[in-house]
Structure formats: C-alpha cells, structure tokens
C-alpha cells in the first residue's frame, strides 16, 4: 500500500513536472550567505526546473561552492558559468568584523559536481551559457532571477549571434524570457549594493533598457528582505552535514540573516502567493549610471514593471523561507535513505 502511495507520489511529480517553471539564477555567491540559501531553494524545489546557475563575481571559490551545493542536492547536471579572469579572492568582513567566510570552505569540504576543487576554469562563460540555455528553451518559458550584480546580463544584452542562436542578445531574450526578477534597489527610491557594488553603468544598462518588449520585470527591493531573518531553523534542525547549513554557521555564527535572495527565488517559483503584493500599477525603475542609485518613475503609460512589497508580516515571511529551506535540506536526507535502506525499511519509513 505504501509502495503504491510512493509510486503515485512520483507519478504526480512527473505530471507536475510538465508545468514547472524554468529558471536561471545569476548570483554573487561570495559576500553574503543569502545567495547560498537561495541556491538551496532553487536546487531542491519540486515546483521549478533550474536550468543553469551563472555567477557574477569572479572568485573561483564562488563557482566551486555553487558546484558543491548543486551536487549535494543531486543537481550536478545544472551547468555553471562564471566571468573571467578568475581570482582566488576570499571574503573578509572588514566592515563589522563579525561575519565569516564560507565560499572556499563549502568548496573545499563539500567538493563535488561538475566543478570539483581545483576545477573552476572548467566553468562556462556566462554569456555563452545564457545563450545556449535560452536557445534550447521553449519560447517565453524562462524566468531569469538576478540576485547579485548585473554584469553578465549586460553582456548578454550586447551579445551577437553565435553557434547557439542566430538571434542577437535582445531578440533572444525577447523570444525566450518570460520574466526577469531582480533583487536590488529601493522603492520608490534607494541605493543598493547589487546596483553600485560592481559597475553601476552595467546595472543601469540592464535596468534602463530591459523594457516591456523584452519581458516583464519584477523588483524586490533591499527593504523587503532586510527584516525577514532566516536560516535559524536550518542551523538548529537541518542535517549536520548540509553545505548551506554550514555556510550559514560559518558566515553568521548561528545568527539568522536577512532573506533578500531566498525571497526573490520564492517569488520566482511561487509568484505573489500570500507573501507578496505589487507596490505599483504603472511606471518603471531608473538607475543612475554614475552612482547606482535608483528611483521609480511614475509614468502612467508604462506597464509591465513591478516592485514588490510584503503582504505578510516579516515573521510569517521568515517562517515560510525557513520551512522551504529546511524542507529542501531534508529532501536529500530522505532520498539518500531510499537508496541506502533495504526496500522493506523504505516502505516502513515515515514519508514527510
Ligand atoms: C588560484 O588557486 C589555484 C590553486 O591553488 C591556482 O592553481 C591558480 O593559479 C590560482 N589562481 C589565481 C588567479 O591566482
Ligand atoms: C518589518 O519590520 C520592520 C522593522 O521593524 C518594520 O518597519 C516593517 O513594517 C515590518 N514589515 C512588515 C511587513 O511587517
Ligand atoms: C565571461 C563574460 O562573459 N564576461 C562578461 C560579463 O560581463 C561583463 C560586463 O558586461 C563583460 O565585460 C564580460 O566580458
């Protein structure tokens, strides 16, 4: 009977598979650990199909850590891109002197996947990876989730036709991308690390020229995730040898962290749900190419750009992110039980 239930469970997940959202993550997995939490959600969600991970920071440890995390959750098949030339930069908190480094440690202790320790140079060129994955996808089927700097996306916009597609960057995006979700900025105005921290002119290029002819654009500002503190339950109750749990421990010394990037992934997968609401009916975002500050331009003639606000309280949002992170981390535990235990024990095990 329980075998049957498990068979039916996998049948429904196959059926759901057809309707899953496709998405690509563009992450600066390096300075803050919320990118690792976002990657956990992206790699383990049963409700979405992660096509690729692009890194937008050139540390070799960022690529290796992404590979380690994806492999741990059984997603070594997801290709990883990173801009060149690579560095061996490591994070040091010279601001608060409170936070720890996690990327090199995750890369070292959990080495695995397509880019094991020492193999960062085997990563894709991020623009080529975008172009290949978009060319192969169905039209209007890909959500791009930007949770770091916008350099790779700027280069994608400028990209010429290549072996993967005869379309130049903008036309390829217009055909394949259904939604761009950007974590960063302040709404109605602000100045955000993701826009000024690398090259503000590139952030301005992407945000000021990605109009409705390319895709809908959704912004999640710094203020939304700032008070949504997540990671506590993962650290307290997650599997001891989970790489993202350890990243949170090494980075925050058991203190939970703002869930900026995990919230962007939750929105990309589940939409507004009960957590978010749209903050505007019309208008568009504008980024200053000199200092990376942004402001909302209330133009009634422009639709298709939205900034989000929380519809639920900070604590409700944090509980939801924590629930999904813990569920994702535990899912690996259950699937390894299925392979390790004899089949009678599997059918007797309590399914979550
Ligand atoms: C980074 O470290 C690796 C391993 O020690 C080394 O092979 C590589 O040359 C280093 N890269 C740079 C840019 O220093
Ligand atoms: C989240 O917390 C901040 C700081 O206490 C508060 O200003 C804000 O209103 C809270 N947001 C929600 C949606 O409860
Ligand atoms: C490897 C790669 O594609 N790097 C590009 C990423 O984006 C920056 C800014 O657009 C380009 O200068 C790089 O060439």
């Amino acid at each position: 009977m329980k075998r049957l239930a498990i068979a039916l469970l996998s049948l429904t997940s196959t059926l759901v598979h057809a309707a899953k959202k496709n998405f690509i993550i563009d992450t600066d997995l390096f300075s803050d650990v919320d990118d690792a939490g976002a990657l956990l959600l992206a790699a383990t969600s049963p409700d979405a199909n992660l096509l690729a991970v692009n890194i937008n920071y050139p540390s070799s440890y960022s690529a290796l850590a992404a590979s380690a995390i994806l492999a741990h959750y059984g997603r070594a098949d997801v290709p990883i891109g990173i801009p060149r030339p690579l560095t061996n930069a490591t994070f040091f908190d010279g601001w608060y002197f409170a936070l720890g480094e996690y990327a090199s440690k995750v890369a070292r202790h959990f080495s695995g996947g397509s880019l094991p320790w020492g193999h960062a140079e085997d990563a894709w060129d991020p623009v080529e990876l975008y172009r290949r994955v978009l060319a192969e996808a169905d039209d209007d089927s890909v959500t791009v989730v930007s949770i770091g700097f916008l350099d790779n996306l700027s280069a994608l916009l400028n990209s010429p036709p290549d072996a993967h597609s005869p379309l130049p960057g903008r036309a390829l995006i217009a055909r394949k991308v259904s939604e761009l979700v950007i974590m960063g900025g302040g709404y109605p105005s602000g100045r955000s690390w993701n826009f000024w921290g690398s090259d503000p002119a590139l952030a301005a290029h992407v945000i000021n020229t990605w109009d409705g002819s390319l895709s809908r654009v959704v912004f999640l500002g710094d203020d939304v995730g700032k008070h949504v503190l997540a990671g506590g339950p993962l650290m307290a109750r997650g599997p001891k040898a989970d790489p993202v749990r350890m990243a949170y421990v090494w980075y925050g010394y058991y203190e939970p962290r703002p869930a900026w990037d995990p919230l962007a992934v939750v929105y990309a997968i589940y939409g507004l749900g009960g957590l978010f609401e749209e903050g505007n009916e019309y208008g568009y975002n504008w980024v200053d190419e000199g200092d990376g500050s942004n402001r909302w331009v209330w133009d009634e003639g422009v639709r298709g750009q939205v900034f989000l606000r929380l519809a639920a309280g900070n604590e409700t949002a944090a509980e939801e992110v924590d629930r999904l992170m813990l569920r994702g981390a535990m899912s690996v535990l259950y699937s390894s039980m299925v392979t390790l235990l004899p089949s009678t024990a599997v059918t007797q095990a309590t399914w979550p």
Side-chain angles (χ1 to χ4, degrees):
M1 191 60 198
K2 277 181 186 153
R3 265 183 211 278
L4 180 65
I6 290 169
L8 287 175
L9 193 75
S10 56
L11 177 67
T12 50
S13 57
T14 318
L15 292 176
V16 169
H17 193 92
K20 277 183 184 180
K21 265 195 180 180
N22 293 318
F23 69 120
I24 301 173
I25 300 266
D26 204 321
T27 168
D28 59 330
L29 183 77
F30 180 75
S31 56
D32 200 300
V33 76
D34 65 325
D35 293 82
L39 211 48
L40 187 174
L41 296 181
T44 61
S45 172
D47 305 305
N49 187 21
L50 179 60
L51 299 178
V53 172
N54 266 332
I55 315 277
N56 49 63
Y57 189 82
S59 170
S60 60
Y61 302 118
S62 300
L64 300 178
S67 178
I69 290 170
L70 290 171
H72 178 82
Y73 300 124
R75 295 304 314 271
D77 60 302
V78 176
I80 299 165
I82 189 165
R84 307 304 198 288
L86 294 178
T87 71
N88 285 332
T90 56
F91 171 74
F92 175 73
D93 175 14
W95 202 332
Y96 303 112
F97 301 94
L99 303 166
E101 195 269 350
Y102 71 88
S104 73
K105 295 185 185 67
V106 168
R108 184 75 174 132
H109 290 287
F110 297 91
S111 168
S114 59
L115 308 173
W117 184 255
H119 288 265
E121 285 293 355
D122 295 345
W124 284 79
D125 171 286
V127 172
E128 192 188 356
L129 180 56
Y130 264 128
R131 293 187 55 86
R132 193 201 87 184
V133 168
L134 290 177
E136 287 172 357
D138 290 341
D139 287 359
D140 208 28
S141 74
V142 180
T143 299
V144 175
V145 190
S146 172
I147 54 174
F149 305 127
L150 292 121
D151 304 34
N152 292 331
L153 283 171
S154 170
L156 172 64
L157 282 167
N158 291 335
S159 64
D162 63 2
H164 302 292
S165 169
L167 299 176
R170 292 185 73 84
L172 182 62
I173 291 167
R175 178 165 303 175
K176 303 292 182 172
V177 176
S178 56
E179 188 168 76
L180 170 63
V181 179
I182 294 181
M183 196 277 122
Y187 303 91
S189 65
R191 185 162 179 265
S192 168
W193 168 247
N194 281 357
F195 295 174
W196 67 260
S198 179
D199 185 339
L202 299 179
H205 172 229
V206 174
I207 291 165
N208 298 350
T209 71
W210 195 299
D211 59 26
S213 69
L214 268 58
S215 79
R216 178 177 145 94
V217 186
V218 176
F219 296 94
L220 190 67
D222 291 358
D223 289 347
V224 178
K226 190 174 172 183
H227 303 287
V228 178
L229 302 178
L234 178 67
M235 287 186 279
R237 301 200 300 278
K240 291 284 173 282
D242 181 278
V244 174
R245 172 181 178 273
M246 288 311 302
Y248 270 87
V249 171
W250 285 322
Y251 187 79
Y253 292 87
Y254 292 96
E255 288 295 321
R257 290 291 302 167
W260 296 291
D261 296 344
L263 283 171
V265 171
V266 169
Y267 170 77
I269 297 175
Y270 297 104
L272 294 174
L275 283 192
F276 304 102
E277 61 192 19
E278 298 186 350
N280 63 296
E281 280 176 33
Y282 52 81
Y284 60 93
N285 197 11
W286 185 260
V287 175
D288 183 296
E289 65 173 25
D291 70 1
S293 63
N294 79 290
R295 70 190 159 83
W296 199 258
V297 180
W298 296 96
D299 181 337
E300 290 190 40
V302 178
R303 313 269 157 161
Q305 289 206 7
V306 165
F307 63 84
L308 299 178
R309 299 212 181 283
L310 280 183
N314 293 313
E315 279 166 25
T316 306
E319 278 166 21
E320 183 60 6
V321 169
D322 281 328
R323 185 184 72 79
L324 293 170
M325 292 210 293
L326 206 50
R327 181 186 76 173
M330 294 298 196
S331 67
V332 178
L333 217 58
Y334 291 115
S335 61
S336 61
M337 272 169 57
V338 171
T339 47
L340 291 178
L341 299 179
S343 59
T344 47
V346 173
T347 52
Q348 280 155 15
T350 316
W351 207 262

